[in-house]
C-alpha cells in the first residue's frame, strides 16, 4: 500500500506532464518516460563520478539549435542554447568528482529539463499544425530514438539514483521510508507550485489560454512557439524529477521509462486528458492497484492496470456524443 | 490623412483554393471602414489574411507603412482582430480573459493594466458584474462585449471586427454599434466586416462591397447607402 501510494505519486507527476503538453500542443508526449529514465541514469552516473552521455547530447543538440535560430533572436538564443549548456557543462565537469547526492540530483535535473524544449524545437514545432495522430507517430518514433540513445550512453544495466535520505521511521506498525516521504512531499510541492503558476502568473494563464482556445490565444498575441517550449520544459522537468525520485526506490534500466510513462498515461486518460483532479485520483488508483496486484498475482499486475482502461474508455466514448460538438 | 492599413491586390485562400482575387483597400487613420457583402464573398478570409492567420499568396498588406508580419507581431503593434466566433477562453474567468487581452503589453514590460480594465468596465458595466464568472457561461451579447473588451485591453490602434452583430438581439446590436461609434469618435481606426449592411453603412465613413473575392463597388458610406445597386441587392428597398 505504501509502495502503491509512492508509485501512484510518480504516475501523477507523469500524468500532469502529459496533460500539460497535450492540452497546449496536442502532442501525446510518449518520450516522457525515456526522459524519466534519463533522469535516473544521469543522476546515477554522476553519483559514480562519471560524466553522463546525456550532457554531450544536450551540448550537441543545443549547438544545432543555436545555429539554426541565431538569425532570429541572437541574444535570447545565445543565452538559452549557448551560455546555459556551456555553464552547465563546466559545472558538471567540476562538480562530478565530489559524488555528492544532492548535487548529482540537481545536475541531472538541469541536464534533462532542456531536452523537452529541444524535442519541441526540432520534432514538433515544424509540424505543429499536423493531426493528433501524426504528432503521436512522431512521438512514438522519438521514444525509440531516445531509448536507443539511452542504451548507447548508459548500457543495459539497471542503476539506482542517489537517495535524498536513507532514514526510516516507525509509524505505529508501519515502517515508513524517508525516500517515500520525499517522493510524496516533492509531489505535493510540485502540484502546489503548478497551481500557483497556472492560477496567478501571466505565463501560466497564457498556457491555459492556448489550451482553451488556440485562435483566441494567437489573437491576443500569445506566441504559440514559446508556449509550446514552456509546456515541454515543464513536462521534461517533471519527468526528470520523477526519474530521480523513483530511481532511488527502484533501480531502472534505459528502457524502463516507457512502462512507467504508459501508466502515467493510463492515469491521464482516467482524467479524460483534461481534468487534473480526476487524473490525480486515477494515478493513485493505478499505483495502489499495481502494488496490490504484484502482491496477489504478480504475473498479472500490468494486465490489471491496463484492463482498467477498458471501462474508462467505454464510459468516455459513451459520453462523447455531447463532447463532439466542441471539436 | 495617412493610411494606417493599406491592402494592395491581395490574393489569399485555403490550400489550392483561391478565395480573394486581388483585393485592394485603405483604412485611413481615425476612420471606420466597412466591408459589406453576401455570405461566402471572402470577408472573413480577407481579415484572416490581413492578420496573417492565413498565408498571403500574392499582393501586399502594409500596416503603419511597414509590410505586415506575423499575427503576434501585428497584435503587439496594435492591430487587433475580434473574430466571428469570438474565440474566448471559455473555461477562464471574465477577468482573466481581459487580462490576457493585455498580454502583449505585459510582455513589453507594462505591468499595470488596471486602468484599461476600468475603461472596459465603464464601457461594459455588465462585464464588471460578471468578472468572476467563467466566459463560457456568458450569454451571446455578453460574449461579444467580452470579445470587444479583450481586444480593447491591448490598447489597439486598429480594430478589425468580424460580424460583431451576428446572432445578437437587435437591442444588443444597437448597443454594440453605439460603442463602435464612440470608439471611432475617440480616434480609434476600425475595419468592420458586416452582413448588417444598413447598420454598417450608418456608422462607418467609407465602405467597400466585396463579392466573389473582389471589390465591386466602393465609396463614402452615405453615398453607398443611396447607391441604386446596393439598395437593390443589400437593403431590399423598393425602387
Amino acid at each position: 500500500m505504501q509502495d502503491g501510494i509512492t508509485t501512484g505519486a510518480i504516475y501523477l507527476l507523469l500524468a500532469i506532464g502529459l496533460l500539460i503538453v497535450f492540452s497546449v500542443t496536442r502532442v501525446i508526449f510518449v518520450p516522457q518516460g525515456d526522459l524519466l529514465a534519463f533522469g535516473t541514469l544521469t543522476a546515477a552516473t554522476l553519483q559514480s563520478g562519471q560524466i553522463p552521455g546525456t550532457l554531450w547530447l544536450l551540448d550537441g543538440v543545443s549547438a544545432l539549435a543555436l545555429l539554426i535560430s541565431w538569425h532570429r533572436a541572437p541574444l535570447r538564443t545565445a543565452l538559452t542554447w549557448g551560455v546555459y549548456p556551456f555553464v552547465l557543462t563546466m559545472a558538471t565537469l567540476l562538480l562530478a568528482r565530489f559524488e555528492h547526492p544532492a548535487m548529482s540530483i540537481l545536475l541531472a535535473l538541469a541536464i534533462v529539463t532542456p531536452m523537452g524544449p529541444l524535442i519541441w524545437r526540432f520534432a514538433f514545432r515544424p509540424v505543429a499544425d499536423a493531426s493528433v495522430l501524426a504528432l503521436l507517430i512522431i512521438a512514438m518514433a522519438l521514444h525509440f530514438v531516445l531509448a536507443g540513445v539511452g542504451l548507447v550512453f548508459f548500457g543495459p544495466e539497471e542503476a539506482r539514483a542517489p537517495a535524498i535520505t536513507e532514514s526510516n521511521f516507525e509509524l505505529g506498525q508501519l515502517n515508513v521510508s524517508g525516500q517515500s516521504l520525499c517522493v510524496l512531499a516533492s509531489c505535493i510541492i510540485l502540484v502546489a507550485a503548478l497551481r500557483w503558476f497556472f492560477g496567478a502568473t501571466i505565463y501560466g494563464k497564457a498556457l491555459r489560454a492556448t489550451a482553451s482556445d488556440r485562435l483566441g490565444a494567437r489573437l491576443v498575441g500569445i506566441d504559440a512557439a514559446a508556449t509550446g517550449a514552456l509546456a515541454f520544459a515543464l513536462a521534461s522537468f517533471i519527468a526528470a524529477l520523477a526519474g530521480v525520485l523513483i530511481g532511488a526506490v527502484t533501480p531502472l534500466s534505459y528502457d524502463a521509462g516507457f512502462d512507467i510513462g504508459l501508466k502515467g498515461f493510463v492515469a491521464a486518460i482516467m482524467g479524460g486528458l483534461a481534468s487534473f483532479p480526476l487524473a490525480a485520483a486515477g494515478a493513485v488508483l493505478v499505483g495502489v492497484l499495481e502494488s496490490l496486484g504484484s502482491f496477489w498475482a504478480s504475473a498479472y499486475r500490468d494486465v490489471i492496470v491496463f484492463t482498467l482502461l477498458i471501462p474508462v474508455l467505454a464510459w468516455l466514448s459513451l459520453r462523447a456524443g455531447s463532447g463532439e460538438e466542441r471539436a | 490623412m495617412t493610411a494606417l492599413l493599406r491592402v494592395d491586390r491581395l490574393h489569399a485562400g485555403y490550400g489550392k483554393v483561391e478565395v480573394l482575387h486581388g483585393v485592394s483597400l485603405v483604412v485611413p487613420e481615425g476612420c471606420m471602414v466597412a466591408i459589406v457583402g453576401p455570405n461566402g464573398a471572402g470577408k472573413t478570409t480577407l481579415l484572416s489574411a490581413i492578420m496573417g492567420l492565413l498565408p498571403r499568396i500574392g499582393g501586399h498588406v502594409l500596416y503603419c507603412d511597414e509590410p505586415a508580419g506575423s499575427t503576434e507581431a501585428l497584435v503587439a503593434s496594435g492591430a487587433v482582430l475580434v473574430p466571428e466566433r469570438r474565440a474566448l477562453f471559455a473555461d477562464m474567468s471574465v477577468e482573466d480573459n481581459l487580462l490576457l487581452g493585455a498580454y502583449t503589453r505585459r510582455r513589453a514590460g507594462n505591468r499595470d493594466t488596471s486602468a484599461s480594465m476600468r475603461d472596459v468596465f465603464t464601457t461594459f458595466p455588465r462585464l464588471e458584474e460578471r468578472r468572476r464568472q467563467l466566459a463560457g457561461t456568458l450569454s451571446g451579447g455578453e460574449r461579444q462585449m467580452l470579445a470587444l473588451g479583450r481586444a480593447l485591453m491591448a490598447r489597439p490602434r486598429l480594430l478589425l471586427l468580424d460580424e460583431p452583430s451576428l446572432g445578437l438581439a437587435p437591442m444588443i446590436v444597437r448597443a454594440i454599434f453605439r460603442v463602435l461609434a464612440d470608439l471611432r469618435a475617440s480616434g480609434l481606426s476600425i475595419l468592420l466586416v458586416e452582413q448588417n449592411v444598413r447598420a454598417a453603412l450608418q456608422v462607418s465613413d467609407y465602405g467597400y462591397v466585396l463579392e466573389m473575392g473582389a471589390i465591386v463597388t466602393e465609396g463614402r458610406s452615405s453615398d453607398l447607402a443611396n447607391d441604386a445597386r446596393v439598395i437593390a441587392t443589400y437593403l431590399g428597398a423598393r425602387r
Side-chain angles (χ1 to χ4, degrees):
Chain A
M1 190 70 191
Q2 187 200 334
D3 265 6
I5 291 174
T6 315
T7 42
I10 296 294
Y11 297 152
L12 169 62
L13 291 182
L14 292 177
I16 291 174
L18 283 168
L19 284 180
I20 293 173
V21 167
F22 180 74
S23 58
V24 173
T25 65
R26 299 176 308 129
V27 172
I28 294 176
F29 195 25
V30 184
Q32 199 188 16
D34 301 299
L35 293 182
L36 177 144
F38 277 15
T40 308
L41 296 169
T42 303
T45 312
L46 284 167
Q47 187 59 26
S48 64
Q50 287 162 308
I51 305 298
T54 36
L55 181 66
W56 309 127
L57 177 71
L58 177 66
D59 285 348
V61 185
S62 295
L64 212 56
L66 189 64
L67 217 64
I68 60 169
S69 9
W70 177 259
H71 61 279
R72 252 185 242 146
L75 188 67
R76 243 185 62 198
T77 311
L79 276 179
T80 351
W81 302 128
V83 176
Y84 177 79
F86 180 75
V87 170
L88 185 61
T89 309
M90 289 299 130
T92 312
L93 291 177
L94 278 176
L95 298 174
R97 61 197 147 97
F98 293 115
E99 300 176 16
H100 188 275
M103 208 124 56
S104 303
I105 290 173
L106 288 180
L107 282 174
L109 291 179
I111 291 172
V112 177
T113 303
M115 292 187 179
L118 282 171
I119 288 174
W120 160 248
R121 178 66 189 81
F122 285 105
F124 294 111
R125 210 181 94 184
V127 290
D129 291 326
S131 69
V132 174
L133 185 63
L135 294 174
L136 172 64
I137 292 168
I138 296 174
M140 237 13 246
L142 267 174
H143 152 66
F144 290 114
V145 170
L146 287 184
V149 166
L151 177 61
V152 170
F153 285 154
F154 300 111
E157 299 86 17
E158 292 187 335
R160 192 183 274 276
I164 300 168
T165 163
E166 304 281 358
S167 53
N168 273 293
F169 304 91
E170 296 281 333
L171 202 77
Q173 290 185 317
L174 283 173
N175 192 4
V176 183
S177 83
Q179 184 67 23
S180 311
L181 287 183
C182 278
V183 172
L184 281 183
S186 319
C187 190
I188 291 167
I189 292 170
L190 189 80
V191 169
L194 286 173
R195 266 196 82 99
W196 171 81
F197 175 71
F198 284 112
T201 68
I202 189 81
Y203 293 104
K205 283 177 183 174
L207 280 187
R208 278 168 62 205
T210 311
S212 172
D213 195 301
R214 224 156 267 285
L215 174 67
R218 287 193 75 181
L219 291 178
V220 297
I222 294 172
D223 179 5
T227 48
L230 184 54
F232 271 86
L234 284 171
S236 56
F237 172 75
I238 289 171
L241 182 69
V244 296
L245 287 173
I246 194 72
V249 181
T250 338
L252 295 180
S253 61
Y254 75 99
D255 60 350
F258 183 67
D259 240 30
I260 303 176
L262 211 54
K263 282 168 193 155
F265 181 67
V266 173
I269 288 288
M270 288 187 181
L273 271 182
S275 155
F276 286 87
L278 275 179
V284 176
L285 186 66
V286 170
V288 170
L289 265 178
E290 191 191 20
S291 69
L292 288 182
S294 51
F295 191 69
W296 295 112
S298 62
Y300 292 110
R301 61 175 217 182
D302 288 349
V303 178
I304 294 171
V305 169
F306 293 121
T307 308
L308 265 184
L309 267 183
I310 296 173
V312 174
L313 287 177
W315 181 67
L316 281 177
S317 61
L318 280 178
R319 222 187 39 167
S322 58
E324 212 81 327
E325 295 158 23
R326 268 194 73 203
Chain B
M1 226 182 308
T2 53
L4 184 60
L5 178 75
R6 186 182 293 277
V7 177
D8 189 24
R9 283 162 296 163
L10 181 66
H11 292 256
Y14 305 86
K16 284 191 175 138
V17 184
E18 190 181 281
V19 177
L20 299 179
H21 317 293
V23 173
S24 300
L25 64 88
V26 173
V27 181
E29 183 101 57
C31 283
M32 191 188 313
V33 172
I35 299 169
V36 298
N39 259 340
K43 304 187 298 284
T44 300
T45 310
L46 175 59
L47 289 186
S48 302
I50 290 175
M51 285 302 291
L53 293 167
L54 283 176
R56 307 158 187 133
I57 300 169
H60 305 280
V61 177
L62 294 177
Y63 173 70
C64 298
D65 294 322
E66 305 260 338
S70 68
T71 311
E72 291 83 15
L74 277 168
V75 174
S77 56
V80 182
L81 169 69
V82 179
E84 184 176 340
R85 64 171 189 84
R86 324 307 191 219
L88 297 173
F89 308 125
D91 47 10
M92 299 176 76
S93 71
V94 167
E95 204 166 16
D96 279 350
N97 269 270
L98 291 175
L99 204 69
L100 283 163
Y103 181 77
T104 52
R105 288 170 59 206
R106 299 271 295 226
R107 286 219 55 181
N110 186 343
R111 298 201 57 81
D112 189 30
T113 46
S114 54
S116 318
M117 183 109 51
R118 267 199 304 281
D119 289 350
V120 170
F121 285 152
T122 317
T123 316
F124 302 112
R126 189 82 71 86
L127 293 182
E128 183 159 27
E129 292 165 26
R130 314 250 148 150
R131 61 194 294 175
R132 306 236 175 276
Q133 213 169 307
L134 294 186
T137 64
L138 297 180
S139 73
E142 289 162 351
R143 273 179 215 210
Q144 182 58 50
M145 291 177 198
L146 181 55
L148 249 172
R150 187 178 71 181
L152 292 176
M153 289 294 291
R155 287 268 152 96
R157 281 183 73 185
L158 173 68
L159 196 57
L160 300 100
L161 300 166
D162 196 356
E163 306 277 4
S165 76
L166 193 76
L168 301 184
M171 213 171 79
I172 295 170
V173 173
R174 273 198 295 281
I176 297 274
F177 273 98
R178 208 172 307 128
V179 170
L180 295 187
D182 289 348
L183 289 172
R184 147 82 179 74
S186 71
L188 184 65
S189 313
I190 299 176
L191 180 59
L192 171 71
V193 159
E194 257 297 345
Q195 286 195 52
N196 188 338
V197 178
R198 195 186 304 271
L201 292 180
Q202 245 164 36
V203 290
S204 59
D205 302 292
Y206 201 85
Y208 293 87
V209 179
L210 187 69
E211 279 176 14
M212 310 279 284
I215 302 284
V216 291
T217 326
E218 60 173 277
R220 296 169 54 85
S221 297
S222 48
D223 296 343
L224 276 184
N226 294 318
D227 184 274
R229 222 181 67 84
V230 172
I231 292 175
T233 320
Y234 299 109
L235 301 177
R238 310 138 299 257
R239 279 165 201 266

